Amino acid sequence: MSLNYPGYFVSFEGIDGAGKSTHIEAFGKLLQERHPNREVVMTREPGGTPLGEQLRKLLLDAPMHLETEALLMFAARREHIAQVIEPALQAGKVVISDRFTDASFAYQGGGRGLSLSKLNELELWVQERKNGVLLQPDLTILFDLPGSVAEARRSKVRAPDKFEQMDLEFFERVRQEYLRRAKEDQQRFYLIDATQTQEAIWNLLKGLEINI
Ligand code: TMP
């Protein structure tokens, strides 16, 4: 069973420094050019709504208990789905989100060690639409690379946020959880080896066949 929205939902994922931000805007423009009759909505998590953006500031800066962090991520997501994602999908739009629930599994689960059963419960609570069918991206583009390469690439221009300050082992655990999720749902995930050049990655994105 599927949810069969007339719209199409894409998420971009990867550890900090994997390079997804470099490509997401251009990818949105590309889809807009290819599908001029569809509105492309660019959004992000945590964030995407006024409340979500306020939660983002807290989540990226304020120290808090791990479960508080997970609950706030999903609270921001609940609002994001209600205000932005679901109305857009119902209206036939293309939604491109910089991160979605896979990031909670990767960061709060893999990285910080929150039990996957708690994350599964939250995912079900926030994303279940009917008879156990979850609202999920139609396509998740995962930028995969070793934590050490990502660390070297991370911007040295601005001060690192709470997550960017974490050590290499943390990012390796985040990466492994992303890869586990990708293996579990190979139909949804498109895995990119993000150690490649920007040009090579862009060519892969341009070549992706998307059934919108
Ligand atoms: P960004 O830097 O890609 O905008 O993401 C913000 C940070 O939030 C990033 O370090 C990953 C983290 N994050 C989580 O820990 N859990 C989540 O559910 C989401 C959406 C992001």
Side-chain angles (χ1 to χ4, degrees):
M1 202 194 306
S2 88
L3 291 171
N4 286 328
Y5 291 108
Y8 194 84
F9 183 15
V10 186
S11 63
F12 273 56
E13 297 283 359
I15 62 176
D16 295 84
K20 69 184 167 51
S21 309
T22 313
H23 295 286
I24 194 164
E25 280 297 322
F27 186 72
K29 286 202 182 104
L30 180 78
L31 288 193
Q32 187 64 83
E33 278 164 25
R34 287 188 184 164
H35 304 276
N37 300 327
R38 298 274 199 145
E39 187 181 327
V40 175
V41 176
M42 306 295 294
T43 188
R44 69 171 179 180
E45 289 204 354
T49 65
L51 176 65
E53 290 296 327
Q54 287 187 21
L55 291 173
R56 179 186 175 92
K57 282 199 196 88
L58 286 171
L59 282 161
L60 266 49
D61 293 332
M64 62 184 75
H65 189 278
L66 160 61
E67 292 189 359
T68 311
E69 183 177 282
L71 289 164
L72 288 181
M73 289 289 179
F74 276 94
R77 181 162 301 129
R78 184 66 194 93
E79 197 64 16
H80 193 206
I81 291 171
Q83 302 289 339
V84 178
I85 298 175
E86 205 162 28
L89 294 177
Q90 275 161 350
K93 297 176 186 175
V94 178
V95 176
I96 302 180
S97 185
D98 191 340
R99 301 193 186 280
F100 193 62
T101 301
D102 298 305
S104 301
F105 278 84
Y107 281 78
Q108 281 66 53
R112 296 219 199 275
L114 183 62
S115 79
L116 296 188
S117 66
K118 284 194 172 155
L119 287 160
N120 282 327
E121 280 177 39
L122 289 173
E123 182 182 44
L124 196 66
W125 185 3
V126 167
Q127 288 156 246
E128 185 181 26
R129 285 297 164 274
K130 54 181 182 194
N131 308 331
V133 182
L134 300 183
L135 190 168
Q136 289 287 20
D138 298 291
L139 169 68
T140 295
I141 300 176
L142 174 57
F143 287 68
D144 176 60
L145 84 177
S148 55
V149 182
E151 187 175 64
R153 283 190 189 172
R154 278 202 284 281
S155 168
K156 303 281 181 284
V157 180
R158 58 178 174 79
D161 64 36
K162 205 174 82 185
F163 293 100
E164 291 163 340
Q165 285 168 23
M166 298 301 290
D167 62 18
L168 202 54
E169 284 75 36
F170 173 85
F171 283 106
E172 281 301 340
R173 291 194 301 275
V174 173
R175 178 189 187 198
Q176 292 312 320
E177 177 58 18
Y178 268 132
L179 290 172
R180 187 192 69 78
R181 297 268 291 176
K183 208 169 165 194
E184 247 184 13
D185 196 350
Q186 296 182 18
Q187 274 211 324
R188 171 164 71 88
F189 276 86
Y190 181 73
L191 193 63
I192 289 186
D193 170 3
T195 61
Q196 300 175 86
T197 63
Q198 278 189 24
E199 194 190 356
I201 293 174
W202 180 237
N203 284 334
L204 286 175
L205 290 173
K206 277 196 301 194
L208 253 181
E209 272 191 34
I210 301 178
N211 223 347
I212 292 181

